[in-house]
Amino acid sequence: MVLTKEYTTSPPTFKHLTPYERGKICALLKEGFSPTQIAKKLGRHRSTIYREIKRGTTTQLRTDLTTYSTYFPETGQVV
């Protein structure tokens, strides 16, 4: 009797977002596209785009001391 290994699961096929894709997300957000529309344009799943936006969004302070949140691709890359 010979035992052989048979793997039933396939290896993960994910890939990270590139800096170019992060920049494209930022540009499309500024143009007013929704995360779902951005996902279709980039060929990624919409949850990937939602997570990236959440990861790269930071709170900024204006000169009049009010705050606002905006997406920065560099922040998403670092995190």
Side-chain angles (χ1 to χ4, degrees), residues 7-74:
Y7 298 103
T8 58
T9 59
S10 59
T13 58
F14 65 89
K15 61 180 185 171
H16 297 280
L17 288 171
T18 63
Y20 174 79
E21 288 175 317
R22 287 185 169 98
K24 194 82 167 154
I25 290 170
C26 182
L28 291 172
L29 282 173
K30 287 182 181 178
E31 289 180 20
F33 285 88
S34 72
T36 303
Q37 293 171 323
I38 295 170
K40 287 180 183 178
K41 284 189 175 286
L42 295 179
R44 297 294 190 130
H45 196 273
R46 65 187 169 108
S47 64
T48 302
I49 304 302
Y50 276 105
R51 280 193 305 265
E52 176 59 28
I53 292 170
K54 184 178 178 180
R55 184 180 299 122
T57 299
T58 59
T59 302
Q60 299 290 307
L61 192 63
R62 291 189 179 105
T63 55
D64 62 352
L65 301 180
T66 58
T67 59
Y68 67 100
S69 295
T70 189
Y71 172 76
F72 289 106
E74 297 85 9

